[in-house]
Amino acid sequence: MIQIKGKVNFNITLDPSTFIFDDRKVEMDTLSKTIKRDNDSISFEDNYEWNREILEGGSKPPTLISEKKFKKQQLLEGTFLMNLEPFITNAEPHEDATAIKLTNETDSAEIKLEDLHQFYVQFSKDGKRLYDDGMVDAYLLEDTLTLKLKHVTSIEII
């Protein structure tokens, strides 16, 4: 259990073991691939099929059973992160709060509160929890996914 505390109206206790059931979780590979780069652009040389698909709809065979199997397999083997923005927003940081202080037994790191939308915690690796005590690793999504602190035991709004 990790508590969001400090300059907040409501202290919130997070249980990272429940994040696996939350639809807001993101797979690490997917998140790494979505990082925008200045020289990336999307172009459709032949957009006839694309437009036809949008206008007429695709005719696909039923895949619900296969999709369920794939989702279950993905949960059992995936590496997942959770964006903490909604949790910290619900804790209602005070007006004078400026940063998020992350700590573990030996070290600490700070993330600016304005970068909250880029603040993720990794709670799972290859379908298993990261640590036996349920703690997480903190990442900041900038040009790359940057590890800020391993084995986070405390989140304090300062």
Side-chain angles (χ1 to χ4, degrees):
M1 303 281 198
I2 303 171
Q3 190 174 43
I4 298 173
K5 58 187 177 184
K7 292 185 177 183
V8 292
N9 289 332
F10 305 102
N11 290 340
I12 294 179
T13 303
L14 300 176
D15 183 358
S17 66
T18 63
F19 288 165
I20 197 72
F21 304 109
D22 196 317
D23 290 337
R24 297 172 289 188
K25 69 183 173 297
V26 182
E27 194 163 17
M28 184 177 268
D29 292 339
T30 304
L31 190 62
S32 296
K33 290 176 186 173
T34 61
I35 297 171
K36 280 194 134 187
R37 290 172 176 73
D38 294 335
N39 57 358
D40 286 352
S41 64
I42 299 173
S43 63
F44 299 99
E45 293 171 8
D46 179 17
N47 61 8
Y48 175 75
E49 285 297 322
W50 175 262
N51 289 334
R52 181 173 167 223
E53 187 81 20
I54 291 171
L55 294 172
E56 298 174 13
S59 60
K60 296 184 177 22
T63 59
L64 191 55
I65 294 172
S66 298
E67 288 176 27
K68 284 182 182 178
K69 283 183 182 177
F70 177 74
K71 283 274 192 197
K72 184 177 178 183
Q73 189 73 15
Q74 187 181 24
L75 288 176
L76 294 174
E77 297 176 357
T79 299
F80 292 100
L81 294 106
M82 177 70 77
N83 183 285
L84 287 193
E85 181 176 19
F87 302 101
I88 293 175
T89 301
N90 286 340
E92 296 181 7
H94 296 167
E95 294 290 325
D96 62 339
T98 59
I100 304 164
K101 183 177 180 183
L102 309 168
T103 57
N104 61 22
E105 294 82 16
T106 59
D107 207 2
S108 67
E110 286 188 16
I111 297 173
K112 294 181 213 166
L113 205 52
E114 61 197 40
D115 294 334
L116 182 58
H117 63 284
Q118 299 171 312
F119 175 40
Y120 288 84
V121 292
Q122 179 185 0
F123 61 91
S124 150
K125 181 174 178 151
D126 300 329
K128 296 179 178 40
R129 329 187 262 194
L130 273 181
Y131 302 102
D132 289 335
D133 59 1
M135 297 302 142
V136 296
D137 290 345
Y139 287 86
L140 195 60
L141 181 65
E142 299 167 308
D143 293 334
T144 61
L145 196 57
T146 308
L147 179 66
K148 296 305 273 184
L149 188 67
K150 285 183 163 261
H151 198 262
V152 175
T153 57
S154 173
I155 300 173
E156 182 178 2
I157 309 300
I158 56 174

